Every structure is written in C-alpha cells, then in structure tokens.
Amino acid sequence: MEGQVPGAMGSSGSLALRFGQTCFSCASLLFMCLDVDFYSYTTFCFLVTVMGLVIPWSLVLVLADAYSIFVKSLDLQRRNLLMIIIGDLVLSFLSLAAACSTASVADLLLDVGCCKVILTASIMSFQPLSCPLLLRH
C-alpha cells in the first residue's frame, strides 16, 4: 500500500472521490428536477443528460473500488485502466461543457430575476466552475 498513488483505483481515496462524485451528480439532478420551468432551456436538458450518464458510471466505479478495497482481488489490467481513463475524460469534458453553459444561462436568468434553484443545480453539477457565480450573487 506504500507505493500506491493517493486516489488511485482501488484505494480509499478513490472510493471517497467516486462517492462524492455520485452524491454531487445526484444532488444536481434532484435540484434541477424540482424546478418546473427547467425543461424549457436546452442547456439544462444537456446537463440532465450528462448527469444521467455520470451517475451510473460513478456508481459502477464506487462498487469496483469497494470490491477492490474489501476483497483485495480486483485485477486492474492496462485495458481496464485505459477504459476508465477514457470514460472519465469523456464524462469530465461533457460535464464541464454542460456546467459552463448552465452557469452562463443561470447568470442570465438571475439577472432578470428567475428562481435560485437553477443556480443551486449548476453549482452542484460542477462546483469549482460555479463558485465565482455563487460569490457574485
């Protein structure tokens, strides 16, 4: 366990990160589904679609990490790690694009006086990107 990188697949750090990713994706989806006017904006529909892809991906990796930690017999081959890296890369770019578009539309809607549920949903989907938006309002 000494030579392992923090957050590497099969470590407790990875399990915590994946669990956090799943929780924030679920919270984002929950907050977006509470707003009635949500479906009239394409950017929010794009964000729902991306979060709908991130949640099962994260849950599968949480289960793989938990299995690897508790049973300690998960064989991580190069092909499996490459699939995880490519999947994470694609989903991270998609969630970044969805969060950027959602944050810009939320900023516009807040300027005209719409509901703050939209801002909360965009913050839950990608926190580091949306923090300046939160501090501004």
Side-chain angles (χ1 to χ4, degrees):
M1 196 78 172
E2 286 186 26
Q4 195 172 20
V5 178
M9 186 74 178
S11 66
S12 59
S14 175
L15 180 65
L17 288 171
R18 293 294 177 181
F19 187 71
Q21 182 182 20
T22 305
C23 289
F24 279 112
S25 298
C26 290
S28 171
L29 206 56
L30 178 73
F31 280 115
M32 285 185 287
C33 291
L34 292 177
D35 192 18
V36 178
D37 292 334
F38 167 74
Y39 296 104
S40 60
Y41 301 102
T42 306
T43 58
F44 298 111
C45 292
F46 178 51
L47 186 60
V48 166
T49 304
V50 170
M51 289 303 122
L53 294 172
V54 169
I55 291 170
W57 175 258
S58 298
L59 281 175
V60 166
L61 292 178
V62 163
L63 292 174
D65 275 337
Y67 182 78
S68 176
I69 289 171
F70 296 121
V71 178
K72 298 191 190 290
S73 67
L74 185 64
D75 184 25
L76 293 175
Q77 298 173 353
R78 292 188 102 170
R79 181 191 296 169
N80 294 344
L81 284 177
L82 185 63
M83 284 179 26
I84 291 171
I85 290 169
I86 290 173
D88 278 342
L89 187 67
V90 167
L91 287 175
S92 67
F93 278 123
L94 283 174
S95 63
L96 176 66
C100 285
S101 62
T102 303
S104 64
V105 170
D107 189 30
L108 178 72
L109 290 175
L110 284 172
D111 285 342
V112 296
C114 283
C115 186
K116 293 202 182 222
V117 172
I118 295 168
L119 179 63
T120 307
S122 64
I123 289 169
M124 287 294 180
S125 64
F126 195 75
Q127 273 190 324
L129 177 71
S130 302
C131 282
L133 182 65
L134 176 67
L135 294 175
R136 186 173 152 204
H137 292 287

